Amino acid sequence: MAGFLEEYWPHLAFVVSIAAGLAAAIHAAATKDEVRAATGWVAVVLLSPFFGAFIYLIAGINRVRRVAVQRRRRSRNRVRGDRSHPTRPDVVAYPALVRLGDSVSPFGLQRGNRMTPLVGGDEAYPAMIEAIRQAEKSVALATYIFDHDEAGLAVAQALGEAHARGVTVKVLIDGVGSRYSSPPIAQVLARKGVGAALFMSDVIGLKLPYANLRSHRKILVVDGRVGFTGGMNIREHFLTSAMGEHTARDTHFRVEGPIVEQLMAVFAEDWAFTTNEILLGARWYPHHDALPDGVPARAVPSGPDTALAATHAMLMGAMSVARERIRVATPYFLPDQQLVAAFGIAARRGVAVDIVIPEANNLRLVDYAMTAQLDQVLRHGCRVWRAAGPFDHSKLFSVDGVWSCVGSSNLDPRSLRLNFELDVEVHDPGLASWIDRRIGERIAAAKPETLATLAARPRWQRLRNRFVWLASPYL
């Protein structure tokens, strides 16, 4: 046998590579929804069968087949939001968006919620820590990045204290995001006895096909009654005490009301998928009364599974009904052609479309790719603004001062197709007006990006940007 392998291994390697390439090409052709993606992957794997198939295995298979968690979805069906507080479509400004949300989100639009904006780590972290310190029964925390630094250690300390006084604490950190600092904060949590797990952590073993998929969700639920969500990771980059004048900006939200149960349901499914532990009962899902001064809202989870493109669909729908203005703030603006078309059509209908991106981005390659694509929205009448000052990580979207979408999703392919994200749809003029004012303040101190400013860049920069843009789906 050894002699046979020694003599014929080149032939065997050739046969295996051809078989792997054909299998990958067939899979791409059969499962990809976009013809350009299917064509591109088929070309890659056929031109380089072995290595192409390997790359496709890592980066090309984007849908998570949650076979093991399907039976656990039935347990979540019992806690898909408090159905006793539904919002009728006829009491909001855009009933069509209520119906659209019903079709793309597992949750109903619930009345009686309170959304309190928290600007930056100086507001968000103390509020989160105070809520954890007041916990009596349970704490559920999910985040993409949980750094071992000033901010992370403060949150870890509060979690450890909660565990010590008998509170059940569950912490879920993305497997990629957990590696942003060293030593990992999970070690600190383990020493404090806090139950922590890593989402999609095994990128070398059985989960290799999902190495490019990440949980970008930010969820904190305390006693099932108060929640926090938005765009903020747990790291000292957002603390003035640590970064001074270089403090990064972001926006988070403290939430109360029936929607907290929806946040908890999303956490519980991710926790079950990662640990096989099902979280049920009053400890996690107490009864919620609609707050008398609350507003209609719902959670919109999205990800490369059954919730693929849910947020994408909500944004497309929101732009289609906009009448006066659309305001967007995002750190990473790499919309696909459908979103580009939606922005352009809205602008050509006479809607004022303002898109605010950072002047100084924390990811240089992403900024190159963004710049290469800006002409696609500018030529149709959208306005793009480069906000001065420290990097702003906020993800804010408002329509006509009455509807808004906030959460963890960026306007890029990674967030809208690869990552597991969580956003919140809010039908409230108060919150939408707050977002409009916040974006307006950034516009007032921003520089306009125009077709002329793009063309004025050196030719080598424009060429560099276009080549980087080719890799934008995986930046």
Side-chain angles (χ1 to χ4, degrees), residues 320-380:
S320 71
V321 301
R323 300 166 186 162
E324 299 177 3
R325 66 183 180 275
I326 296 170
R327 284 196 158 179
V328 182
T330 180
Y332 315 122
F333 183 71
L334 284 164
D336 61 17
Q337 289 304 300
Q338 291 174 307
L339 286 172
V340 167
F343 277 115
I345 291 171
R348 283 180 283 178
R349 287 194 292 112
V351 177
V353 180
D354 289 292
I355 302 162
V356 180
I357 58 178
E359 182 179 38
N361 205 295
N362 68 329
L363 299 177
R364 185 175 299 178
L365 292 180
V366 172
D367 187 67
Y368 294 162
M370 287 167 52
T371 304
Q373 193 177 359
L374 291 179
D375 65 303
Q376 297 182 22
V377 292
L378 287 170
R379 70 167 70 109
H380 296 304

Short mmCIF file of all heavy atoms in Angstrom, two decimals, residues 320-380:
data_model
loop_
_atom_site.label_atom_id
_atom_site.label_comp_id
_atom_site.label_asym_id
_atom_site.label_seq_id
_atom_site.Cartn_x
_atom_site.Cartn_y
_atom_site.Cartn_z
N SER A 320 -38.38 52.98 0.44
CA SER A 320 -39.43 53.02 -0.59
C SER A 320 -40.63 53.85 -0.15
O SER A 320 -41.37 54.36 -0.99
CB SER A 320 -39.87 51.60 -0.94
OG SER A 320 -40.61 51.02 0.13
N VAL A 321 -40.85 53.99 1.18
CA VAL A 321 -42.00 54.77 1.65
C VAL A 321 -41.62 56.18 2.07
O VAL A 321 -42.51 57.00 2.36
CB VAL A 321 -42.72 54.05 2.82
CG1 VAL A 321 -43.18 52.67 2.40
CG2 VAL A 321 -41.83 53.98 4.05
N ALA A 322 -40.34 56.49 2.12
CA ALA A 322 -39.90 57.82 2.57
C ALA A 322 -40.49 58.90 1.68
O ALA A 322 -40.55 58.77 0.45
CB ALA A 322 -38.38 57.89 2.56
N ARG A 323 -40.90 60.00 2.31
CA ARG A 323 -41.51 61.10 1.57
C ARG A 323 -40.66 62.37 1.60
O ARG A 323 -40.66 63.13 0.64
CB ARG A 323 -42.89 61.41 2.16
CG ARG A 323 -43.87 60.26 2.11
CD ARG A 323 -45.07 60.53 2.99
NE ARG A 323 -45.97 59.37 3.08
CZ ARG A 323 -46.88 59.22 4.02
NH1 ARG A 323 -47.03 60.14 4.96
NH2 ARG A 323 -47.65 58.14 4.04
N GLU A 324 -39.99 62.62 2.72
CA GLU A 324 -39.29 63.88 2.89
C GLU A 324 -37.79 63.72 3.05
O GLU A 324 -37.01 64.36 2.35
CB GLU A 324 -39.85 64.65 4.09
CG GLU A 324 -41.32 65.01 3.96
CD GLU A 324 -41.84 65.69 5.20
OE1 GLU A 324 -41.04 65.92 6.15
OE2 GLU A 324 -43.05 66.00 5.26
N ARG A 325 -37.36 62.86 3.97
CA ARG A 325 -35.92 62.77 4.24
C ARG A 325 -35.53 61.40 4.78
O ARG A 325 -36.31 60.74 5.45
CB ARG A 325 -35.48 63.86 5.22
CG ARG A 325 -36.04 63.74 6.62
CD ARG A 325 -35.60 64.92 7.50
NE ARG A 325 -36.12 64.84 8.85
CZ ARG A 325 -37.32 65.27 9.22
NH1 ARG A 325 -38.14 65.79 8.32
NH2 ARG A 325 -37.71 65.16 10.48
N ILE A 326 -34.31 61.04 4.44
CA ILE A 326 -33.67 59.84 4.98
C ILE A 326 -32.33 60.29 5.54
O ILE A 326 -31.55 60.96 4.84
CB ILE A 326 -33.44 58.77 3.89
CG1 ILE A 326 -34.78 58.28 3.34
CG2 ILE A 326 -32.63 57.60 4.44
CD1 ILE A 326 -34.63 57.40 2.10
N ARG A 327 -32.06 59.94 6.77
CA ARG A 327 -30.77 60.28 7.37
C ARG A 327 -30.10 59.01 7.88
O ARG A 327 -30.72 58.21 8.59
CB ARG A 327 -30.94 61.30 8.50
CG ARG A 327 -31.21 62.70 7.96
CD ARG A 327 -31.01 63.79 9.00
NE ARG A 327 -30.77 65.07 8.34
CZ ARG A 327 -30.59 66.21 8.99
NH1 ARG A 327 -30.60 66.22 10.32
NH2 ARG A 327 -30.37 67.33 8.33
N VAL A 328 -28.84 58.86 7.51
CA VAL A 328 -28.09 57.65 7.83
C VAL A 328 -26.75 58.04 8.42
O VAL A 328 -26.05 58.92 7.90
CB VAL A 328 -27.85 56.79 6.56
CG1 VAL A 328 -27.10 55.52 6.93
CG2 VAL A 328 -29.16 56.48 5.86
N ALA A 329 -26.39 57.38 9.51
CA ALA A 329 -25.03 57.48 10.04
C ALA A 329 -24.50 56.06 10.20
O ALA A 329 -25.13 55.22 10.84
CB ALA A 329 -25.02 58.20 11.40
N THR A 330 -23.37 55.80 9.59
CA THR A 330 -22.79 54.47 9.65
C THR A 330 -21.27 54.57 9.53
O THR A 330 -20.77 55.41 8.77
CB THR A 330 -23.35 53.56 8.54
OG1 THR A 330 -22.76 52.25 8.62
CG2 THR A 330 -23.07 54.15 7.16
N PRO A 331 -20.53 53.74 10.25
CA PRO A 331 -19.07 53.79 10.12
C PRO A 331 -18.57 53.14 8.84
O PRO A 331 -17.50 53.48 8.34
CB PRO A 331 -18.58 53.04 11.36
CG PRO A 331 -19.70 52.10 11.68
CD PRO A 331 -20.97 52.80 11.29
N TYR A 332 -19.35 52.18 8.32
CA TYR A 332 -18.92 51.42 7.15
C TYR A 332 -20.07 51.41 6.14
O TYR A 332 -21.10 50.78 6.36
CB TYR A 332 -18.54 49.99 7.54
CG TYR A 332 -17.68 49.92 8.78
CD1 TYR A 332 -18.08 49.21 9.90
CD2 TYR A 332 -16.45 50.60 8.86
CE1 TYR A 332 -17.30 49.15 11.05
CE2 TYR A 332 -15.68 50.56 10.00
CZ TYR A 332 -16.11 49.84 11.09
OH TYR A 332 -15.35 49.80 12.23
N PHE A 333 -19.87 52.11 5.03
CA PHE A 333 -20.93 52.28 4.04
C PHE A 333 -20.51 51.60 2.74
O PHE A 333 -19.80 52.16 1.91
CB PHE A 333 -21.19 53.77 3.81
CG PHE A 333 -22.32 54.05 2.85
CD1 PHE A 333 -23.64 53.80 3.22
CD2 PHE A 333 -22.08 54.57 1.59
CE1 PHE A 333 -24.68 54.06 2.34
CE2 PHE A 333 -23.11 54.83 0.70
CZ PHE A 333 -24.42 54.57 1.07
N LEU A 334 -20.95 50.35 2.58
CA LEU A 334 -20.66 49.57 1.38
C LEU A 334 -21.94 48.87 0.93
O LEU A 334 -22.02 47.64 0.95
CB LEU A 334 -19.55 48.55 1.65
CG LEU A 334 -18.13 49.11 1.72
CD1 LEU A 334 -17.18 48.11 2.38
CD2 LEU A 334 -17.64 49.44 0.31
N PRO A 335 -22.95 49.63 0.54
CA PRO A 335 -24.23 49.02 0.18
C PRO A 335 -24.13 48.20 -1.09
O PRO A 335 -23.34 48.51 -1.99
CB PRO A 335 -25.14 50.24 -0.02
CG PRO A 335 -24.21 51.33 -0.44
CD PRO A 335 -22.95 51.09 0.34
N ASP A 336 -24.95 47.13 -1.16
CA ASP A 336 -25.00 46.37 -2.40
C ASP A 336 -25.81 47.15 -3.43
O ASP A 336 -26.33 48.23 -3.16
CB ASP A 336 -25.58 44.97 -2.15
CG ASP A 336 -27.01 45.01 -1.62
OD1 ASP A 336 -27.68 46.06 -1.73
OD2 ASP A 336 -27.47 43.98 -1.07
N GLN A 337 -25.92 46.60 -4.64
CA GLN A 337 -26.56 47.33 -5.73
C GLN A 337 -28.05 47.56 -5.48
O GLN A 337 -28.62 48.55 -5.96
CB GLN A 337 -26.34 46.60 -7.05
CG GLN A 337 -24.91 46.67 -7.55
CD GLN A 337 -24.43 48.12 -7.69
OE1 GLN A 337 -25.01 48.90 -8.43
NE2 GLN A 337 -23.39 48.47 -6.96
N GLN A 338 -28.69 46.69 -4.72
CA GLN A 338 -30.10 46.91 -4.39
C GLN A 338 -30.26 48.14 -3.50
O GLN A 338 -31.13 48.98 -3.74
CB GLN A 338 -30.67 45.68 -3.70
CG GLN A 338 -30.80 44.47 -4.59
CD GLN A 338 -31.25 43.25 -3.82
OE1 GLN A 338 -30.65 42.87 -2.82
NE2 GLN A 338 -32.31 42.63 -4.28
N LEU A 339 -29.41 48.25 -2.48
CA LEU A 339 -29.48 49.42 -1.61
C LEU A 339 -29.05 50.69 -2.33
O LEU A 339 -29.63 51.76 -2.12
CB LEU A 339 -28.62 49.19 -0.36
CG LEU A 339 -29.18 48.23 0.67
CD1 LEU A 339 -28.15 47.95 1.76
CD2 LEU A 339 -30.46 48.77 1.30
N VAL A 340 -28.02 50.58 -3.17
CA VAL A 340 -27.60 51.74 -3.96
C VAL A 340 -28.77 52.25 -4.80
O VAL A 340 -29.05 53.46 -4.86
CB VAL A 340 -26.41 51.37 -4.87
CG1 VAL A 340 -26.17 52.46 -5.91
CG2 VAL A 340 -25.15 51.17 -4.03
N ALA A 341 -29.49 51.31 -5.43
CA ALA A 341 -30.64 51.70 -6.24
C ALA A 341 -31.73 52.34 -5.39
O ALA A 341 -32.36 53.33 -5.79
CB ALA A 341 -31.19 50.48 -6.98
N ALA A 342 -31.95 51.79 -4.19
CA ALA A 342 -33.00 52.34 -3.32
C ALA A 342 -32.65 53.75 -2.87
O ALA A 342 -33.51 54.64 -2.85
CB ALA A 342 -33.19 51.43 -2.11
N PHE A 343 -31.39 53.98 -2.50
CA PHE A 343 -30.95 55.33 -2.15
C PHE A 343 -31.16 56.28 -3.33
O PHE A 343 -31.69 57.39 -3.18
CB PHE A 343 -29.48 55.33 -1.74
CG PHE A 343 -29.23 54.94 -0.31
CD1 PHE A 343 -28.54 53.78 -0.02
CD2 PHE A 343 -29.66 55.74 0.73
CE1 PHE A 343 -28.30 53.41 1.30
CE2 PHE A 343 -29.43 55.39 2.04
CZ PHE A 343 -28.74 54.21 2.34
N GLY A 344 -30.72 55.84 -4.51
CA GLY A 344 -30.81 56.69 -5.69
C GLY A 344 -32.24 57.00 -6.09
O GLY A 344 -32.57 58.15 -6.43
N ILE A 345 -33.12 56.00 -6.04
CA ILE A 345 -34.52 56.22 -6.41
C ILE A 345 -35.18 57.18 -5.42
O ILE A 345 -35.95 58.06 -5.81
CB ILE A 345 -35.26 54.88 -6.47
CG1 ILE A 345 -34.76 54.05 -7.66
CG2 ILE A 345 -36.77 55.08 -6.56
CD1 ILE A 345 -35.27 52.64 -7.69
N ALA A 346 -34.87 57.02 -4.13
CA ALA A 346 -35.44 57.93 -3.14
C ALA A 346 -35.01 59.36 -3.43
O ALA A 346 -35.83 60.29 -3.39
CB ALA A 346 -35.01 57.51 -1.74
N ALA A 347 -33.74 59.56 -3.72
CA ALA A 347 -33.24 60.91 -4.00
C ALA A 347 -33.90 61.47 -5.25
O ALA A 347 -34.27 62.66 -5.30
CB ALA A 347 -31.72 60.88 -4.15
N ARG A 348 -34.07 60.66 -6.27
CA ARG A 348 -34.67 61.15 -7.50
C ARG A 348 -36.17 61.41 -7.36
O ARG A 348 -36.75 62.13 -8.16
CB ARG A 348 -34.40 60.16 -8.64
CG ARG A 348 -32.97 60.28 -9.17
CD ARG A 348 -32.70 59.31 -10.30
NE ARG A 348 -32.49 57.95 -9.81
CZ ARG A 348 -32.27 56.89 -10.59
NH1 ARG A 348 -32.25 57.04 -11.90
NH2 ARG A 348 -32.08 55.70 -10.07
N ARG A 349 -36.79 60.82 -6.33
CA ARG A 349 -38.19 61.12 -6.04
C ARG A 349 -38.33 62.45 -5.30
O ARG A 349 -39.45 62.91 -5.03
CB ARG A 349 -38.81 60.01 -5.19
CG ARG A 349 -39.07 58.72 -5.92
CD ARG A 349 -39.99 57.80 -5.11
NE ARG A 349 -39.37 57.29 -3.90
CZ ARG A 349 -39.73 57.62 -2.66
NH1 ARG A 349 -40.70 58.51 -2.47
NH2 ARG A 349 -39.13 57.09 -1.61
N GLY A 350 -37.20 63.04 -4.92
CA GLY A 350 -37.24 64.30 -4.19
C GLY A 350 -37.01 64.16 -2.71
O GLY A 350 -37.10 65.16 -1.97
N VAL A 351 -36.72 62.95 -2.24
CA VAL A 351 -36.41 62.75 -0.82
C VAL A 351 -34.99 63.25 -0.56
O VAL A 351 -34.07 62.94 -1.32
CB VAL A 351 -36.53 61.26 -0.44
CG1 VAL A 351 -36.14 61.03 1.01
CG2 VAL A 351 -37.95 60.76 -0.70
N ALA A 352 -34.81 64.00 0.51
CA ALA A 352 -33.46 64.47 0.89
C ALA A 352 -32.74 63.33 1.59
O ALA A 352 -33.13 62.90 2.67
CB ALA A 352 -33.57 65.67 1.82
N VAL A 353 -31.70 62.82 0.95
CA VAL A 353 -30.94 61.67 1.48
C VAL A 353 -29.57 62.16 1.94
O VAL A 353 -28.76 62.62 1.14
CB VAL A 353 -30.78 60.57 0.41
CG1 VAL A 353 -29.99 59.40 0.98
CG2 VAL A 353 -32.15 60.11 -0.09
N ASP A 354 -29.32 62.04 3.25
CA ASP A 354 -28.04 62.43 3.84
C ASP A 354 -27.38 61.20 4.45
O ASP A 354 -27.98 60.52 5.29
CB ASP A 354 -28.23 63.50 4.91
CG ASP A 354 -28.62 64.84 4.33
OD1 ASP A 354 -27.76 65.45 3.65
OD2 ASP A 354 -29.77 65.28 4.52
N ILE A 355 -26.15 60.95 4.03
CA ILE A 355 -25.38 59.79 4.50
C ILE A 355 -24.12 60.32 5.16
O ILE A 355 -23.31 61.00 4.52
CB ILE A 355 -25.03 58.85 3.34
CG1 ILE A 355 -26.31 58.38 2.63
CG2 ILE A 355 -24.19 57.68 3.83
CD1 ILE A 355 -26.08 57.83 1.24
N VAL A 356 -23.94 60.01 6.44
CA VAL A 356 -22.79 60.51 7.20
C VAL A 356 -21.85 59.36 7.50
O VAL A 356 -22.25 58.34 8.08
CB VAL A 356 -23.24 61.18 8.51
CG1 VAL A 356 -22.03 61.71 9.28
CG2 VAL A 356 -24.20 62.32 8.22
N ILE A 357 -20.59 59.52 7.10
CA ILE A 357 -19.55 58.52 7.37
C ILE A 357 -18.37 59.24 8.03
O ILE A 357 -18.25 60.45 7.94
CB ILE A 357 -19.10 57.81 6.07
CG1 ILE A 357 -18.59 58.83 5.06
CG2 ILE A 357 -20.24 56.99 5.49
CD1 ILE A 357 -18.07 58.21 3.76
N PRO A 358 -17.49 58.52 8.70
CA PRO A 358 -16.37 59.17 9.39
C PRO A 358 -15.35 59.74 8.40
O PRO A 358 -15.08 59.15 7.36
CB PRO A 358 -15.76 58.04 10.24
CG PRO A 358 -16.79 56.96 10.27
CD PRO A 358 -17.54 57.07 9.00
N GLU A 359 -14.79 60.86 8.76
CA GLU A 359 -13.67 61.39 7.99
C GLU A 359 -12.43 60.53 8.20
O GLU A 359 -11.67 60.26 7.27
CB GLU A 359 -13.38 62.83 8.40
CG GLU A 359 -12.25 63.48 7.61
CD GLU A 359 -12.02 64.92 8.04
OE1 GLU A 359 -12.12 65.20 9.25
OE2 GLU A 359 -11.75 65.76 7.16
N ALA A 360 -12.23 60.10 9.44
CA ALA A 360 -11.12 59.21 9.78
C ALA A 360 -11.69 57.87 10.21
O ALA A 360 -12.31 57.77 11.28
CB ALA A 360 -10.27 59.82 10.90
N ASN A 361 -11.49 56.83 9.39
CA ASN A 361 -12.04 55.52 9.68
C ASN A 361 -11.03 54.68 10.44
O ASN A 361 -9.82 54.81 10.24
CB ASN A 361 -12.44 54.81 8.38
CG ASN A 361 -13.51 53.77 8.60
OD1 ASN A 361 -13.31 52.78 9.26
ND2 ASN A 361 -14.69 54.03 8.04
N ASN A 362 -11.52 53.79 11.30
CA ASN A 362 -10.61 52.92 12.05
C ASN A 362 -10.13 51.74 11.22
O ASN A 362 -9.19 51.05 11.61
CB ASN A 362 -11.28 52.42 13.33
CG ASN A 362 -12.43 51.46 13.05
OD1 ASN A 362 -13.11 51.56 12.02
ND2 ASN A 362 -12.66 50.53 13.96
N LEU A 363 -10.76 51.49 10.07
CA LEU A 363 -10.36 50.41 9.17
C LEU A 363 -9.99 51.03 7.83
O LEU A 363 -10.85 51.41 7.04
CB LEU A 363 -11.49 49.39 9.01
CG LEU A 363 -11.95 48.69 10.29
CD1 LEU A 363 -13.11 47.76 10.00
CD2 LEU A 363 -10.80 47.91 10.94
N ARG A 364 -8.69 51.12 7.57
CA ARG A 364 -8.22 51.83 6.38
C ARG A 364 -8.70 51.18 5.09
O ARG A 364 -9.14 51.86 4.16
CB ARG A 364 -6.69 51.89 6.40
CG ARG A 364 -6.10 52.71 5.27
CD ARG A 364 -4.60 52.83 5.42
NE ARG A 364 -4.23 53.51 6.66
CZ ARG A 364 -2.98 53.72 7.05
NH1 ARG A 364 -1.98 53.28 6.30
NH2 ARG A 364 -2.74 54.34 8.18
N LEU A 365 -8.64 49.84 5.02
CA LEU A 365 -9.07 49.18 3.79
C LEU A 365 -10.55 49.39 3.52
O LEU A 365 -10.97 49.57 2.37
CB LEU A 365 -8.75 47.68 3.87
CG LEU A 365 -7.27 47.30 3.86
CD1 LEU A 365 -7.12 45.78 3.96
CD2 LEU A 365 -6.57 47.81 2.61
N VAL A 366 -11.35 49.37 4.58
CA VAL A 366 -12.78 49.61 4.41
C VAL A 366 -13.01 51.03 3.88
O VAL A 366 -13.86 51.25 3.01
CB VAL A 366 -13.53 49.39 5.75
CG1 VAL A 366 -14.99 49.83 5.61
CG2 VAL A 366 -13.44 47.94 6.17
N ASP A 367 -12.26 51.99 4.40
CA ASP A 367 -12.41 53.37 3.93
C ASP A 367 -12.05 53.48 2.45
O ASP A 367 -12.72 54.19 1.69
CB ASP A 367 -11.53 54.30 4.75
CG ASP A 367 -11.78 55.76 4.42
OD1 ASP A 367 -12.88 56.25 4.72
OD2 ASP A 367 -10.89 56.41 3.83
N TYR A 368 -11.00 52.77 2.01
CA TYR A 368 -10.65 52.77 0.59
C TYR A 368 -11.82 52.24 -0.25
O TYR A 368 -12.19 52.83 -1.28
CB TYR A 368 -9.43 51.89 0.34
CG TYR A 368 -8.14 52.38 0.95
CD1 TYR A 368 -7.07 51.51 1.11
CD2 TYR A 368 -7.99 53.70 1.36
CE1 TYR A 368 -5.86 51.95 1.66
CE2 TYR A 368 -6.80 54.14 1.92
CZ TYR A 368 -5.74 53.25 2.07
OH TYR A 368 -4.56 53.68 2.63
N ALA A 369 -12.40 51.12 0.19
CA ALA A 369 -13.49 50.51 -0.56
C ALA A 369 -14.73 51.41 -0.56
O ALA A 369 -15.41 51.56 -1.58
CB ALA A 369 -13.83 49.14 0.02
N MET A 370 -15.03 52.02 0.58
CA MET A 370 -16.16 52.95 0.66
C MET A 370 -16.00 54.09 -0.32
O MET A 370 -16.93 54.44 -1.06
CB MET A 370 -16.26 53.51 2.08
CG MET A 370 -16.78 52.55 3.12
SD MET A 370 -16.52 53.16 4.82
CE MET A 370 -17.23 54.79 4.74
N THR A 371 -14.81 54.68 -0.33
CA THR A 371 -14.56 55.83 -1.20
C THR A 371 -14.74 55.47 -2.67
O THR A 371 -15.24 56.26 -3.47
CB THR A 371 -13.15 56.38 -0.95
OG1 THR A 371 -13.00 56.70 0.44
CG2 THR A 371 -12.89 57.62 -1.77
N ALA A 372 -14.35 54.23 -3.01
CA ALA A 372 -14.46 53.79 -4.41
C ALA A 372 -15.91 53.68 -4.87
O ALA A 372 -16.19 53.75 -6.07
CB ALA A 372 -13.76 52.45 -4.57
N GLN A 373 -16.83 53.53 -3.92
CA GLN A 373 -18.23 53.27 -4.27
C GLN A 373 -19.14 54.49 -4.09
O GLN A 373 -20.29 54.47 -4.52
CB GLN A 373 -18.77 52.11 -3.43
CG GLN A 373 -20.09 51.54 -3.90
CD GLN A 373 -20.53 50.36 -3.07
OE1 GLN A 373 -19.85 49.94 -2.15
NE2 GLN A 373 -21.68 49.80 -3.39
N LEU A 374 -18.64 55.55 -3.49
CA LEU A 374 -19.50 56.69 -3.17
C LEU A 374 -20.11 57.35 -4.40
O LEU A 374 -21.22 57.90 -4.33
CB LEU A 374 -18.71 57.73 -2.37
CG LEU A 374 -18.32 57.33 -0.95
CD1 LEU A 374 -17.52 58.44 -0.28
CD2 LEU A 374 -19.55 56.98 -0.13
N ASP A 375 -19.42 57.30 -5.52
CA ASP A 375 -19.97 57.94 -6.72
C ASP A 375 -21.31 57.34 -7.13
O ASP A 375 -22.13 58.00 -7.76
CB ASP A 375 -18.97 57.83 -7.87
CG ASP A 375 -18.74 56.39 -8.30
OD1 ASP A 375 -18.33 55.58 -7.45
OD2 ASP A 375 -18.95 56.08 -9.49
N GLN A 376 -21.55 56.08 -6.74
CA GLN A 376 -22.78 55.41 -7.15
C GLN A 376 -24.03 56.02 -6.52
O GLN A 376 -25.11 55.96 -7.09
CB GLN A 376 -22.71 53.91 -6.81
CG GLN A 376 -21.61 53.18 -7.55
CD GLN A 376 -21.58 51.70 -7.22
OE1 GLN A 376 -22.57 51.12 -6.78
NE2 GLN A 376 -20.44 51.06 -7.44
N VAL A 377 -23.88 56.59 -5.31
CA VAL A 377 -25.02 57.27 -4.70
C VAL A 377 -24.99 58.77 -4.97
O VAL A 377 -26.04 59.41 -5.08
CB VAL A 377 -25.08 57.00 -3.17
CG1 VAL A 377 -25.41 55.55 -2.91
CG2 VAL A 377 -23.79 57.40 -2.47
N LEU A 378 -23.80 59.33 -5.10
CA LEU A 378 -23.69 60.77 -5.34
C LEU A 378 -24.29 61.18 -6.69
O LEU A 378 -24.93 62.22 -6.81
CB LEU A 378 -22.23 61.20 -5.27
CG LEU A 378 -21.60 61.23 -3.88
CD1 LEU A 378 -20.10 61.44 -3.99
CD2 LEU A 378 -22.22 62.34 -3.03
N ARG A 379 -24.09 60.35 -7.70
CA ARG A 379 -24.54 60.75 -9.04
C ARG A 379 -26.06 60.80 -9.16
O ARG A 379 -26.59 61.37 -10.11
CB ARG A 379 -23.95 59.81 -10.09
CG ARG A 379 -24.50 58.41 -10.08
CD ARG A 379 -24.08 57.66 -11.36
NE ARG A 379 -22.66 57.39 -11.35
CZ ARG A 379 -22.14 56.15 -11.19
NH1 ARG A 379 -22.97 55.12 -11.02
NH2 ARG A 379 -20.86 55.95 -11.23
N HIS A 380 -26.75 60.23 -8.18
CA HIS A 380 -28.22 60.25 -8.21
C HIS A 380 -28.81 61.27 -7.25
O HIS A 380 -30.05 61.30 -7.07
CB HIS A 380 -28.76 58.86 -7.88
CG HIS A 380 -28.39 57.81 -8.89
ND1 HIS A 380 -28.69 57.94 -10.23
CD2 HIS A 380 -27.72 56.64 -8.76
CE1 HIS A 380 -28.24 56.88 -10.89
NE2 HIS A 380 -27.65 56.08 -10.02
#
